[in-house]
Amino acid sequence: MNAPNSFRTGPDDNGHFGLFGGRFVAETLMPLILDLETAYNEAKADPAYKAEMDAGLKHYVGRPSPLYYAERLTEHLRAGAAPGMGAKIYFKREELNHTGSHKVNNVLGQILLARRMGKKRIIAETGAGQHGVATATLCARYGLECVVYMGAVDVARQAPNVFRMKMLGASVVPVQSGSKTLKDAMNEALRDWVTNVSDTFYCIGTVAGPHPYPAMVRDFQSIIGTETREQMLEMEGRLPDSLIACIGGGSNAMGLFHPFLDDPSVRIFGVEAAGHGIPSGQHAASLTGGRPGVLHGNRTYLLMDGDGQIAEAHSISAGLDYPGIGPEHSWLHDTGRATYISATDDEALAAFQLVAKLEGIIPALEPAHALAKVADLAPTLPEDHLMVVNLSGRGDKDIPQVADILGTSL
Amino acid sequence: MSTRIETRFKACATEGRAALVTFVTAGDPDFDTSLALLKALPAAGADIIEFGVPFTDPMADGPAIQAAGLRALAAGQTLAKTLAMVKTFREGDNTTPVVLMGYYNPVYVYGVERFLNDAKAAGVDGLVVVDLPPEEDEELCLPALAAGLDFIRLATPTTDDKRLPAVLKHTAGFVYYVSITGITGMAQADPTAVGTAVTRIKRHTALPVAVGFGVKTPESAAAIAANADGVVVGSALIDALRATLDSENRATPATLPAVTDLVGRLADAVRGVRRQAAE
Ligand SMILES: Cc1ncc(COP(=O)(O)O)c(C=O)c1O
């Protein structure tokens, strides 16, 4: 494939990133996503919308989030590296946002848009519950009805977030169909949307779904990379040399990557969940172990069988347990602009504990996958290499699950 | 040369009645039972057969059809087997139209060109693919039309007059009007609203209009039949099938008759309603 002049101009008018993306939805939803696209384009051009976003991000979400030099992790990894080796590691502290993850950046944008569109009822799908919590939070803030679909398996393993959503006034619907995880929650949210077309806004939590969602969610999350760029220039006087982030649907990663896509000196790594290991077949690494297919409104890499039936993903982390990936990542993968690697459940669990002990930061299990690969990559890179890892969320929600795995009863 | 779909709608119109379109899922609950059912449908009263292609993630379907798809997949159904069933069916029936209905991914993974060749060779007449709106016509709709297969488009209550021409543009065979906003097998269609919608669609097209998604009983089929060229019943047949399965979802001697009985009652209801001959 020829490298395009710019990696930042997509998608085209039909929502395609090369082969990927598109609008593969039922006719009932088609007028709705066209309306959404129009409303989003109008909002983007309206200074009042931008002012409302900026104020919300600053005063409610608590942005900018810090870019933090993880000194002890850096030193720890240098101790095991050859002389002169061991990249300098920075954390982009998205876990410090209100509600504890990057998800709120996107939800704020979508909820302000829903208000402009006059929608009173908000639906969302959630895996780890972070997107559900962020959505429930902003619905509480703006007095909107909120219904969150969550796979029954995830309801069980992310109990603290289920309780949080209920406290915030949302109703949480456990989804019993299919594999009872994120993909099924998304199916159920789409079924709700086709049923309640007039008053309902579907707030998708990642850079997936039909156009315009992948581009819109990316735009909202790009604040992560935009801030990182400014902060790094201020702290180090130059751009970072590499970026690394975990990938469920790919929103925290895309948010960090997108502002740097046209800076060829910046290497980009996405980390998928390898579950019990790629050869086991029990993983959630769509790019590493999947093929192009069509699901949830877009064409992208999917885990599936030879008949096009979607496979059940597996990951220790509910937020990464999805058999697809945002279409723009599929395109960045095929063009070679970004490199996609994977971390297993065990590697993520080890990184979770390591970073808690060395940095006093308990990461969520999702970014623990990225941290696991930082531990692999950093020692192979020189000391003057600046590496930014997106600390997309905090680990409070994972405490009961990790305690259970480590054999501690709370 | 007129197609099987055209011929069948014309024949029903000549009889002054709507066509009964029956939906069952291919391979539910197993290959042999499903094939026997497919063969039995025309004699039971089905004018047109919609054969559902199972998919793990049917986002426009309610619990009944979701479960039917999963039963079929658990029993080993594949797209290739579904095509083989149609081929066998065609050996004994060269007039009843068969329309495959499902989602794009299994077709995409099978390969569009290979699929169209094999479907045509098997005797498939048309395709309904839920997640391919006109915006994605280049994927399958245009190649299907070129291959001589009807691409049957869904029109819905949210398809307004402005959008309708785009939706109808490459539609062939018939128009499938989705009578409710929602998924299959849930809400009941309102016959009056459906009548208005069908009239609206007919202002834009000469194709027959069949109505589905909210039709469950012979009574509701009759009510819809008064205002449409075709009535589609799916979830109700699947519910009838499911009710006869044993605790491990296996077919029992009651399975086939339960479905064909209901098809018979639906056919009687539809045939009992005289309509002004459709043009
Ligand atoms: C903290 C955190 N990071 C990452 C993810 C994965 O989503 P995405 O890939 O869209 O960033 C989730 C999803 O729940 C999450 O909660």
Side-chain angles (χ1 to χ4, degrees):
Chain A
M1 190 179 291
N2 287 332
N5 293 328
S6 169
F7 288 94
R8 303 188 61 215
T9 54
D12 69 15
D13 289 346
N14 294 315
H16 294 133
F17 301 92
L19 174 67
F20 305 101
R23 289 180 284 214
F24 296 88
V25 296
E27 171 60 23
T28 312
L29 291 182
M30 204 52 227
L32 280 69
I33 63 173
L34 291 173
D35 278 356
L36 175 64
E37 188 182 347
T38 307
Y40 177 54
N41 286 335
E42 284 168 9
K44 257 197 301 197
D46 182 353
Y49 178 75
K50 184 169 185 315
E52 214 182 352
M53 265 306 274
D54 289 348
L57 287 172
K58 182 169 176 198
H59 301 295
Y60 193 70
V61 175
R63 301 203 72 92
S65 71
L67 183 67
Y68 159 77
Y69 169 39
E71 191 174 356
R72 289 196 70 218
L73 179 63
T74 300
E75 280 168 5
H76 172 82
L77 295 174
R78 279 178 184 167
M85 301 300 275
K88 186 169 181 184
I89 299 159
Y90 280 86
F91 290 171
K92 180 61 176 163
R93 302 282 308 272
E94 291 298 302
E95 97 282 8
L96 291 177
N97 295 334
H98 180 42
T99 71
S101 82
H102 70 291
K103 296 284 182 188
V104 69
N105 303 326
N106 162 47
V107 173
L108 177 68
Q110 289 199 49
I111 294 299
L112 294 181
L113 188 58
R115 276 163 56 82
R116 282 174 71 98
M117 295 175 75
K119 305 285 184 186
K120 300 269 184 281
R121 179 174 178 270
I122 308 295
I123 57 171
E125 84 294 335
T126 197
Q130 287 303 112
H131 175 60
V133 166
T135 307
T137 297
L138 279 151
C139 286
R141 162 73 183 78
Y142 288 106
L144 300 166
E145 182 188 348
C146 181
V147 179
V148 179
Y149 290 92
M150 187 168 188
V153 167
D154 295 337
V155 167
R157 65 178 156 171
Q158 301 280 305
N161 273 347
V162 176
F163 186 68
R164 284 169 83 192
M165 286 184 269
K166 290 182 179 161
M167 288 284 294
L168 292 160
S171 35
V172 179
V173 182
V175 175
Q176 301 290 351
S177 60
S179 56
K180 303 180 174 60
T181 59
L182 185 51
K183 94 173 160 75
D184 310 284
M186 193 145 184
N187 288 334
E188 220 48 46
L190 285 164
R191 291 180 185 125
D192 179 312
W193 205 22
V194 224
T195 309
N196 301 292
V197 291
S198 57
D199 64 340
T200 297
F201 184 100
Y202 182 14
C203 182
I204 296 187
T206 190
V207 286
H211 179 63
Y213 284 101
M216 179 172 74
V217 176
R218 170 201 72 199
D219 293 349
F220 294 142
Q221 291 293 1
S222 288
I223 185 80
I224 301 172
T226 303
E227 283 178 8
T228 299
R229 199 179 174 93
E230 280 168 22
Q231 291 165 323
M232 192 57 105
L233 285 172
E234 198 183 303
M235 293 168 82
E236 295 278 358
R238 64 185 183 88
L239 293 181
D241 298 298
S242 63
L243 308 172
I244 182 163
C246 68
I247 306 223
S251 68
N252 85 88
M254 194 55 71
L256 176 63
F257 300 168
H258 196 259
F260 294 97
L261 290 178
D262 286 338
D263 297 292
S265 68
V266 181
R267 293 173 66 187
I268 294 178
F269 298 97
V271 184
E272 299 190 291
H276 295 317
I278 304 290
S280 74
Q282 290 186 292
H283 60 81
S286 325
L287 289 176
T288 312
R291 288 169 299 137
V294 173
L295 180 70
H296 293 155
N298 67 92
R299 175 166 25 227
T300 193
Y301 278 79
L302 298 173
L303 300 179
M304 57 187 166
D305 71 11
D307 192 44
Q309 305 299 338
I310 307 304
E312 291 185 10
H314 167 82
S315 170
I316 188 175
S317 141
L320 306 184
D321 207 344
Y322 180 68
I325 180 168
E328 195 168 6
H329 284 293
S330 290
W331 178 72
L332 291 175
H333 169 74
D334 277 13
T335 55
R337 176 62 188 98
T339 303
Y340 294 87
I341 52 184
S342 60
T344 63
D345 288 354
D346 290 347
E347 290 173 317
L349 203 56
F352 179 96
Q353 298 169 80
L354 180 73
V355 170
K357 291 212 172 89
L358 289 177
E359 294 292 348
I361 296 171
I362 301 179
L365 281 172
E366 290 81 13
H369 287 71
L371 292 163
K373 292 295 114 169
V374 167
D376 286 354
L377 288 169
T380 70
L381 297 163
E383 283 185 349
D384 63 356
H385 182 105
L386 305 176
M387 174 177 262
V388 178
V389 51
N390 196 357
L391 228 143
S392 58
R394 62 174 184 241
D396 307 38
K397 69 181 176 61
D398 300 314
I399 297 298
Q401 187 192 356
V402 171
D404 191 44
I405 294 169
L406 299 179
T408 306
S409 65
L410 295 178
Chain B
M1 197 189 72
S2 49
T3 65
R4 278 187 282 259
I5 293 178
E6 266 169 7
T7 308
R8 182 53 55 96
F9 272 110
K10 276 211 188 93
C12 292
T14 309
E15 290 176 28
R17 66 173 180 90
L20 175 64
V21 184
T22 58
F23 174 97
V24 290
T25 297
D28 175 30
D30 62 74
F31 185 94
D32 292 339
T33 307
S34 182
L35 181 57
L37 179 56
L38 179 64
K39 289 179 177 170
L41 285 171
D47 296 304
I48 296 176
I49 294 168
E50 270 184 23
F51 212 28
V53 177
F55 183 49
T56 37
D57 295 83
M59 58 175 174
D61 285 303
I65 296 180
Q66 288 174 38
L70 295 180
R71 283 193 298 269
L73 292 173
Q77 190 68 11
T78 60
L79 182 50
K81 287 187 186 175
T82 300
L83 292 172
M85 282 178 164
V86 177
K87 194 167 185 161
T88 308
F89 171 81
R90 273 280 164 261
E91 287 163 8
D93 184 322
N94 200 26
T95 53
T96 307
V98 174
V99 171
L100 294 187
M101 178 161 182
Y103 296 81
Y104 185 39
N105 198 51
V107 171
Y108 179 69
V109 167
Y110 192 93
V112 165
E113 221 189 284
R114 178 176 158 232
F115 168 75
L116 291 174
N117 286 336
D118 292 357
K120 185 81 190 162
V124 171
D125 300 286
L127 308 173
V128 180
V129 184
V130 178
D131 52 354
L132 286 178
E135 281 73 6
E136 301 292 349
D137 267 357
E138 283 169 24
E139 293 288 333
L140 181 64
C141 171
L142 298 180
L145 295 176
L149 284 168
D150 285 340
F151 197 85
I152 294 141
R153 184 82 70 201
L154 303 170
T156 70
T158 59
T159 315
D160 60 16
D161 277 322
K162 216 171 98 226
R163 192 172 159 75
L164 205 46
V167 167
L168 295 172
K169 189 167 170 206
H170 294 124
T171 302
F174 61 97
V175 179
Y176 187 140
Y177 181 65
V178 175
S179 66
I180 51 164
T181 57
I183 51 179
T184 54
M186 303 303 278
Q188 283 267 17
D190 165 8
T192 316
V194 166
T196 312
V198 172
T199 309
R200 179 168 74 89
I201 294 170
K202 283 188 163 288
R203 280 204 298 272
H204 295 264
T205 181
L207 290 172
V209 179
V211 175
F213 267 54
V215 191
K216 297 178 169 173
T217 59
E219 295 72 44
S220 59
I224 300 293
N227 292 312
D229 303 308
V231 181
V232 190
V233 181
S235 298
L237 297 177
I238 298 213
D239 282 337
L241 180 148
R242 194 215 57 219
T244 66
L245 302 180
D246 71 11
S247 61
E248 276 153 56
N249 281 335
R250 283 176 308 215
T252 63
T255 302
L256 215 63
V259 183
T260 51
D261 281 1
L262 180 53
V263 171
R265 281 184 285 129
L266 291 163
D268 288 345
V270 166
R271 280 159 208 256
V273 181
R274 308 278 322 162
R275 3 186 356 243
Q276 282 123 330
E279 61 283 7

